[in-house]
Amino acid sequence: MNPQLKDLFTAHLEETKGQVLRLKQVFEILEEKPTGEHCNGMEGVIEEGADALEKDQEGPSFDSGIVGAALRTEHYEIAGYTATIAMAQALGLKDVVSLLTQNLNEELNAAKNILAAAKPILRESAQQPEDQEKKPKTSKEKESARKSREDEKKAVPTLRRNK
């Protein structure tokens, strides 16, 4: 993995520890117990990133995939904080808004830094020739391709009607 990306991810992991502490403060203010509610959306985003890492590849194309997974994760978190801050504002919970805004700003900064680090990686990846040798697809990739074909077939009648 690109050393700059690795450094960014390591630094953001440390930030995340601070975010968890602020979230614990939010729950204390609300006099609620934090519960580990399952989130299917985040599970999917994390699974995509894990799949990319499992491919045991390296180089700019691999790093480009990692950048995409990381940005999807950051933007998912940004959306969550944005919605939660709006709710806290509506309820007049200024202390909660302040704590959540600190977390949001760290997520926005992380996404900005990842994107900045990605620009040279993406340029280098775009200059690499495509690998002509087709490697066997994983079962997950085969399933994804099958679902994409089904979605395309379903969309064709709608597209023809809209012409």
Side-chain angles (χ1 to χ4, degrees), residues 138-156:
T138 65
S139 61
K140 179 169 237 139
E141 289 171 328
K142 288 177 184 175
E143 178 65 11
S144 178
R146 184 191 65 74
K147 287 181 178 178
S148 291
R149 285 191 302 275
E150 286 177 7
D151 290 345
E152 288 170 7
K153 286 179 185 175
K154 289 177 187 174
V156 168

Side-chain angles (χ1 to χ4, degrees), residues 121-138:
I121 294 167
L122 296 173
R123 278 193 296 273
E124 189 177 347
S125 176
Q127 292 173 0
Q128 285 186 330
E130 275 192 50
D131 185 6
Q132 297 301 321
E133 183 182 320
K134 297 291 181 191
K135 296 179 183 172
K137 290 184 175 184
T138 65

Side-chain angles (χ1 to χ4, degrees), residues 4-90:
Q4 187 179 4
L5 283 178
K6 190 172 185 174
D7 289 346
L8 285 172
F9 295 156
T10 301
H12 190 51
L13 178 59
E14 287 305 310
E15 278 183 337
T16 300
K17 292 174 184 178
Q19 291 174 7
V20 169
L21 293 176
R22 284 191 287 273
L23 289 172
K24 286 181 180 180
Q25 287 178 288
V26 165
F27 281 101
E28 286 174 16
I29 292 167
L30 298 174
E31 297 178 356
E32 293 286 338
K33 278 185 109 175
T35 58
E37 188 124 350
H38 180 76
C39 177
N40 290 331
M42 184 55 89
E43 179 184 21
V45 170
I46 290 170
E47 194 174 304
E48 285 179 7
D51 287 346
L53 289 171
E54 285 177 12
K55 290 184 180 175
D56 194 31
Q57 297 174 346
E58 55 184 51
S61 293
F62 170 76
D63 289 340
S64 294
I66 297 300
V67 164
L71 287 173
R72 284 190 294 280
T73 302
E74 294 308 318
H75 286 273
Y76 199 91
E77 291 173 315
I78 290 165
Y81 281 121
T82 301
T84 308
I85 289 167
M87 290 177 216
Q89 286 170 332

